[in-house]
């Protein structure tokens, strides 16, 4: 299964990251691969992250905070799917730390895609 890929929907490119079922070290490794892709593109991007059946550890959150802050100007929108209630709370804290309202959780894939391709933030 390809965990990091670029998909095109309605003419918009979306970087899709599938963290589902991964252990924390593998999640960090995939995060790092995503970061390299975002940096190499060097333009605003849309991200879709699937966190189904994962446990978001403090180690992963600290890593994401540290590594995402310098990239936030390259991330136009970031949609998250398959987050549990505790994970949604973690995302709220992460949004405050990063200082971005464009990191949004959705219950369904279609809702996340609609948000990402919409012209509104």
């Amino acid at each position: 299964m390809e965990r990091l890929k670029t998909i095109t929907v309605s003419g918009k490119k979306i970087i899709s990251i599938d963290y589902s079922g991964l252990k924390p070290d593998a999640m960090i490794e995939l995060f790092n691969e995503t970061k390299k892709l975002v940096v190499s593109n060097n333009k605003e991007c849309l991200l879709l992250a699937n966190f189904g059946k994962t446990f978001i550890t403090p180690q992963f959150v600290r890593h994401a905070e540290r590594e995402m802050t310098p990239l936030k100007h390259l991330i136009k929108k970031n949609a998250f799917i398959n987050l549990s209630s505790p994970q949604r709370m973690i995302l709220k804290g992460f949004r405050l730390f990063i200082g971005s309202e464009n990191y949004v959780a959705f219950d369904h894939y279609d809702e996340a895609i609609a948000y990402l391709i919409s012209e509104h933030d």
Side-chain angles (χ1 to χ4, degrees):
M1 170 180 15
E2 193 176 352
R3 292 192 174 271
L4 178 61
K5 59 187 174 184
T6 301
I7 60 174
T8 303
V9 179
S10 297
K12 299 202 179 194
K13 292 185 187 277
I14 300 169
I15 298 172
S16 176
I17 311 110
D18 185 5
Y19 291 102
S20 61
L22 292 179
K23 303 274 187 221
D25 288 342
M27 290 173 67
I28 289 172
E29 186 178 315
L30 182 55
F31 180 95
N32 291 339
E33 288 178 41
T34 304
K35 178 185 172 187
K36 287 178 190 173
L37 179 59
V38 169
V39 169
S40 71
N41 287 342
N42 196 29
K43 60 183 176 182
E44 274 193 335
C45 63
L46 305 170
L47 300 178
L48 173 64
N50 179 1
F51 281 92
K53 298 179 184 174
T54 60
F55 182 70
I56 299 176
T57 64
Q59 175 191 14
F60 177 79
V61 172
R62 297 292 92 77
H63 181 78
E65 288 172 346
R66 185 173 52 252
E67 299 296 321
M68 189 69 83
T69 302
L71 299 179
K72 73 179 187 178
H73 69 285
L74 293 175
I75 300 169
K76 184 175 182 180
K77 295 181 187 176
N78 198 348
F80 298 83
I81 56 173
N82 295 320
L83 292 176
S84 65
S85 293
Q87 289 171 331
R88 285 175 181 253
M89 297 293 285
I90 291 168
L91 177 61
K92 284 182 183 181
F94 187 78
R95 285 174 41 181
L96 288 172
F97 182 84
I98 294 294
S100 178
E101 294 296 315
N102 296 332
Y103 291 56
V104 183
F106 294 92
D107 291 328
H108 303 285
Y109 174 86
D110 293 338
E111 294 171 329
I113 293 294
Y115 165 73
L116 289 171
I117 64 173
S118 74
E119 294 301 319
H120 306 289
D121 289 336

